[in-house]
Amino acid sequence: MILHSIFCKIHPFSKKAGGGITSNRLWSVITICLTLTLCTGILFSMPLTVQAEWYTDSEMVHSDTSYEDMSYTGYDANHLLDTLETMETLCQKSNQQDAILSCYQTIVEELDQVVTQRSLNSLRYYNDVNHEEYQQVDTEMSLLVTDLADRVGHTLHIVLESPYYDVIANALNNEDLLEYYLNYEDMTEEEKQLAEQENRLVQKYDQTSSTTFTYTDSAGKTWTADMLDTDPELAEDYEKYIEVNDGLAKARNDLLAPIYLDLVANRNRQAVLDGFANYAEYAYSEIYGRDYSTEEIQNVYKTVKENFVPIMPEIYNTTIELIDYDLMDMPELTDDKVVEDVAKYLPKIDPELTEAFEYMTSHHLYDMDASDTKMDMGYTDYLYTYQAPVIFYNPNRNYYDYSVLIHEYGHYNNAYHNNKHALTDAVNMDVAEIHSQGMEILFLEYSDKLFHKKGDSARMMVLYNMVSSVIEGCLYDEFQNQVYAADHALSVPELNQIFSQLASEYGYADAYATTLGYSWVDVSHTFQSPMYYISYATSALSALDLLSIVQDDRQKAIDCYMELTTYGLDTPYRELLVETPLRDIFEKGTVSSIAQDTLRYSNKVKEHAELAQTYRFLRNVSLVIVTLIAVIAIIVILVEKKLAKRDPDTADTIE
Ligand SMILES: [Zn+2]
């Protein structure tokens, strides 16, 4: 059973750049007319024509309740437990179809409720991460959901083995889920203990990673991460800076890596009990429903190393060359302004993108208030009971606030148009992150309007983040793949060595190589959401493939995107790609072609920025010349007037 709501990322790379270690609890383009049209102020193509109807949501009922009126009230499992008992009794009797179906519907509603309550608690917990009660409820609700999911699985399995098979099979209306419940086996005592232990280990990671780590140097001075940016001693001594940085990284690694080793042992045991060779294989298949294997992905790692790693320095250099630091600090920015600006350009992509946005704003289903107690992350969740998606984000008051809202709205729009229930919902991050990153790609068109004179800087940052997603998505997945598949119990130095080796293969071998060997512990997903990271790479590759299409035919790219969003998350990644013009990244030549198209776009942005600069220079020169001419003209007129007074031919009198 999937009892997950949709979830999302915030780009891990940008967060790292922000300096914080974040804890992300997951349960969860452009025919660019890069020509002198710039000078006319119309850089890109004009608003587009209205497309055919993409969404047909006639049966969908989104609650009219405002977000402020949705609050955590707790969950009483008695009604669900009674229903499960009744259902098991009913299937021993004849002619109980209606009653069995009614029980099934109650189960659906009850599961929606418990998962919604858990989500509502998570939202208040992420707003106040030090609140002990919310933290406690978070743990309790996670355990409760796991337990109830097991009980529901137990009962549905019994009913499917009874004469009422058809009732459940028709109601589920999903072959994968049907197979899942047909083969469902109750969790054994060992499995329950493993699940509880895993939960405790993840919490231990959450708590340990948020403590203050220290490094004491040979002179006895104790350093913390905050001092890296503030201590004057480090500002003048680069070697000392590296020593302290490495010392702090090692301190974090020393405490966090052993927790990971315990998690790996725990998860591999769970996988073996479920009939898998290791947890990586289990997670690909059972958690994420991927239609490619841990073996097949090896070829993507290889092609990314061969094609994306070599273009990264150029993407990076162009990003640095065009970077405008004003985008990093926009203190005047408000949530309302970001929402208003994003709303302005949605209908220009496709008018059908506005419905979900209007629902979101009119019901205030977004939490983007800045707060010191808020967890530094962004995600979109689905509140099943209300059939309402909600966005959570702690804004930074910089350009990234736009990126996050645009990204999250990609998730939001898809969730809004794909009705679902906790019982039958799917987790397919490979597809979900195309919805979000694809939206970011389509918004690149409006970058100059959103960020006056800084559009190309913002474009390159989006592009850099996406290319980073491809590379780091593969890096962290290959790392986990190797760790879970290791033929012996690894030690912490071995873990660090594996990561260090891989990091250098993915282009990160530089002066920070030592720290890199330690730094993998900072990516919370490795602990909290194992084997999730590859979805960043696969989806970013497909989003960049959308960028390939946009460069030649924007409308075709928009149609492709809209079509993608009509699918729920139950269609596997590769199967979905076949339905669209996007290419299969597992086929020979695709990754290499996407990399070349990405570089082509980067070069266009660079060219565009240069043209913009030339234009601004020429305009300034023109302004100076016009001003000079005006000044000269005024002087001439004044002199003329003065001379006229002295003109003997026009003088009234002879002095
Ligand atoms: Zn996302």
Side-chain angles (χ1 to χ4, degrees):
M1 180 185 301
I2 303 299
L3 292 176
H4 298 197
S5 37
I6 70 160
F7 260 94
C8 175
K9 71 170 177 171
I10 182 166
H11 282 291
F13 322 112
S14 298
K15 287 203 306 178
K16 250 191 254 170
I21 302 302
T22 56
S23 178
N24 194 350
R25 190 80 191 276
L26 300 169
W27 244 81
S28 64
V29 199
I30 301 176
T31 305
I32 298 186
C33 311
L34 287 170
T35 65
L36 282 170
T37 50
L38 164 74
C39 306
T40 67
I42 307 169
L43 174 56
F44 300 116
S45 54
M46 294 299 288
L48 301 149
T49 50
V50 176
Q51 246 305 332
E53 200 172 284
W54 296 107
Y55 307 126
T56 48
D57 313 341
S58 52
E59 291 174 16
M60 215 169 275
V61 182
H62 300 287
S63 169
D64 239 348
T65 310
S66 273
Y67 182 50
E68 288 83 359
D69 298 323
M70 300 174 185
S71 57
Y72 174 78
T73 53
Y75 178 74
D76 181 350
N78 284 328
H79 186 37
L80 174 59
L81 295 174
D82 289 347
T83 304
L84 293 172
E85 202 179 317
T86 305
M87 206 178 192
E88 288 180 28
T89 311
L90 285 171
C91 67
Q92 314 288 332
K93 304 174 185 171
S94 54
N95 295 323
Q96 298 297 324
Q97 282 84 350
D98 291 348
I100 297 261
L101 185 59
S102 169
C103 285
Y104 173 83
Q105 283 158 349
T106 302
I107 292 170
V108 169
E109 284 165 23
E110 289 294 314
L111 285 177
D112 279 353
Q113 272 192 37
V114 65
V115 176
T116 300
Q117 287 300 312
R118 185 186 60 188
S119 294
L120 288 170
N121 180 65
S122 295
L123 284 158
R124 64 178 191 171
Y125 168 50
Y126 294 143
N127 254 298
D128 190 359
V129 285
N130 295 316
H131 199 295
E132 284 183 14
E133 183 199 334
Y134 300 167
Q135 196 175 0
Q136 176 69 23
V137 172
D138 186 60
T139 308
E140 286 168 10
M141 291 302 281
S142 288
L143 291 172
L144 179 63
V145 168
T146 306
D147 181 47
L148 293 178
D150 183 43
R151 288 165 185 260
V152 168
H154 171 89
T155 302
L156 290 185
H157 177 75
I158 289 173
V159 183
L160 282 168
E161 287 200 320
S162 78
Y164 298 103
Y165 169 93
D166 286 344
V167 177
I168 301 301
N170 291 336
L172 283 172
N173 193 26
N174 180 312
E175 279 181 27
D176 292 339
L177 272 177
L178 180 58
E179 195 187 328
Y180 174 82
Y181 287 116
L182 269 173
N183 300 321
Y184 193 84
E185 290 175 14
D186 297 351
M187 284 174 85
T188 63
E189 242 353 274
E190 185 184 3
E191 284 173 325
K192 281 182 186 168
Q193 280 173 11
L194 285 167
E196 278 180 38
Q197 188 201 29
E198 181 186 13
N199 197 288
R200 279 198 303 275
L201 286 168
V202 171
Q203 281 205 334
K204 191 176 172 187
Y205 170 79
D206 287 349
Q207 285 152 12
T208 311
S209 65
S210 60
T211 56
T212 304
F213 290 86
T214 59
Y215 165 69
T216 305
D217 64 17
S218 52
K221 182 172 177 177
T222 300
W223 299 84
T224 62
D226 289 344
M227 293 163 74
L228 281 172
D229 297 326
T230 56
D231 196 289
E233 187 185 340
L234 301 183
E236 289 157 13
D237 188 345
Y238 184 66
E239 279 184 20
K240 184 73 186 178
Y241 180 92
I242 296 294
E243 179 203 323
V244 174
N245 195 42
D246 284 359
L248 288 167
K250 185 174 186 309
R252 291 180 60 79
N253 186 279
D254 283 348
L255 280 178
L256 298 172
I259 301 174
Y260 187 57
L261 287 178
D262 288 343
L263 274 168
V264 170
N266 173 300
R267 287 171 177 156
N268 268 344
R269 178 68 187 150
Q270 289 190 52
V272 167
L273 290 174
D274 241 1
F276 288 83
N278 62 58
Y279 193 80
E281 289 181 19
Y282 167 84
Y284 264 45
S285 166
E286 302 299 294
I287 298 178
Y288 304 108
R290 294 181 177 132
D291 54 351
Y292 55 90
S293 68
T294 53
E295 195 57 43
E296 286 169 305
I297 200 68
Q298 304 288 334
N299 198 42
V300 175
Y301 301 155
K302 184 171 175 282
T303 51
V304 164
K305 284 178 199 169
E306 288 170 353
N307 298 284
F308 269 87
V309 173
I311 68 164
M312 187 47 155
E314 199 169 332
I315 302 282
Y316 175 79
N317 288 337
T318 306
T319 308
I320 293 298
E321 204 176 300
L322 301 185
I323 204 159
D324 190 320
Y325 289 99
D326 286 350
L327 289 176
M328 306 297 181
D329 186 23
M330 303 166 75
E332 76 290 352
L333 202 60
T334 63
D335 313 343
D336 289 346
K337 169 78 174 145
V338 178
V339 167
E340 189 186 309
D341 284 350
V342 170
K344 212 181 292 175
Y345 297 102
L346 281 171
K348 294 181 193 296
I349 298 174
D350 192 293
E352 284 191 65
L353 289 173
T354 58
E355 186 187 329
F357 204 84
E358 280 164 13
Y359 176 74
M360 180 184 88
T361 49
S362 61
H363 295 80
H364 203 250
L365 279 154
Y366 58 92
D367 176 353
M368 297 195 298
D369 299 328
S371 159
D372 290 341
T373 64
K374 220 168 167 179
M375 199 171 272
D376 185 17
M377 65 177 186
Y379 67 90
T380 305
D381 203 351
Y382 196 81
L383 304 172
Y384 296 99
T385 303
Y386 302 100
Q387 291 290 308
V390 59
I391 290 176
F392 174 94
Y393 176 53
N394 193 12
N396 295 312
R397 303 286 179 240
N398 59 29
Y399 91 101
Y400 199 59
D401 295 354
Y402 283 93
S403 272
V404 171
L405 180 59
I406 291 165
H407 177 105
E408 295 306 331
Y409 185 66
H411 291 304
Y412 197 101
N413 178 62
N414 178 259
Y416 177 89
H417 289 291
N418 287 282
N419 204 0
K420 51 202 189 168
H421 294 287
L423 178 70
T424 49
D425 205 0
V427 173
N428 181 341
M429 301 321 296
D430 301 56
V431 171
E433 295 298 345
I434 311 178
H435 295 146
S436 54
Q437 296 182 98
M439 184 73 88
E440 288 186 74
I441 292 291
L442 295 176
F443 255 87
L444 292 174
E445 170 106 341
Y446 313 112
S447 205
D448 293 311
K449 299 221 167 58
L450 290 170
F451 311 105
H452 187 55
K453 292 184 182 172
K454 305 172 187 90
D456 293 317
S457 178
R459 280 189 184 96
M460 283 311 299
M461 286 193 274
V462 170
L463 197 66
Y464 173 76
N465 268 330
M466 247 173 242
V467 173
S468 296
S469 290
V470 172
I471 297 174
E472 298 204 15
C474 287
L475 165 61
Y476 284 97
D477 196 68
E478 188 169 3
F479 171 66
Q480 293 176 75
N481 232 331
Q482 287 195 15
V483 171
Y484 284 116
D487 57 7
H488 65 282
L490 299 171
S491 64
V492 170
E494 282 177 309
L495 281 179
N496 296 339
Q497 174 56 34
I498 292 172
F499 186 74
S500 187
Q501 170 65 29
L502 285 171
S504 72
E505 289 173 23
Y506 282 96
Y508 297 105
D510 54 20
Y512 294 98
T514 317
T515 312
L516 272 173
Y518 298 135
S519 67
W520 60 269
V521 296
D522 295 342
V523 174
S524 59
H525 300 58
T526 307
F527 293 79
Q528 298 162 342
S529 311
M531 306 314 294
Y532 180 105
Y533 241 60
I534 194 62
S535 295
Y536 290 151
T538 53
S539 58
L541 281 167
S542 293
L544 289 171
D545 194 15
L546 193 68
L547 182 64
S548 304
I549 303 173
V550 153
Q551 292 184 74
D552 300 321
D553 187 342
R554 179 168 172 83
Q555 190 57 52
K556 184 181 172 188
I558 289 172
D559 290 349
C560 172
Y561 177 81
M562 294 302 287
E563 192 180 346
L564 273 167
T565 64
T566 62
Y567 288 85
L569 299 180
D570 50 353
T571 310
Y573 175 64
R574 292 180 79 183
E575 193 180 314
L576 180 59
L577 294 183
V578 173
E579 306 296 324
T580 74
L582 296 176
R583 295 168 284 182
D584 186 349
I585 61 164
F586 292 84
E587 276 180 14
K588 198 170 181 227
T590 303
V591 170
S592 137
S593 175
I594 294 172
Q596 289 314 306
D597 288 342
T598 301
L599 196 56
R600 178 161 63 105
Y601 180 79
S602 167
N603 289 334
K604 282 182 182 178
V605 174
K606 192 176 174 180
E607 191 183 325
H608 177 253
E610 284 165 0
L611 284 168
Q613 203 175 15
T614 306
Y615 167 70
R616 281 196 281 270
F617 172 75
L618 289 175
R619 195 182 54 181
N620 289 342
V621 169
S622 305
L623 275 172
V624 169
I625 292 171
V626 167
T627 309
L628 275 174
I629 292 171
V631 168
I632 291 167
I634 290 167
I635 291 169
V636 168
I637 290 165
L638 288 172
V639 169
E640 184 77 8
K641 276 188 178 171
K642 212 156 197 172
L643 286 175
K645 283 183 185 170
R646 299 186 177 192
D647 186 346
D649 295 335
T650 57
D652 293 337
T653 57
I654 298 173
E655 290 179 14

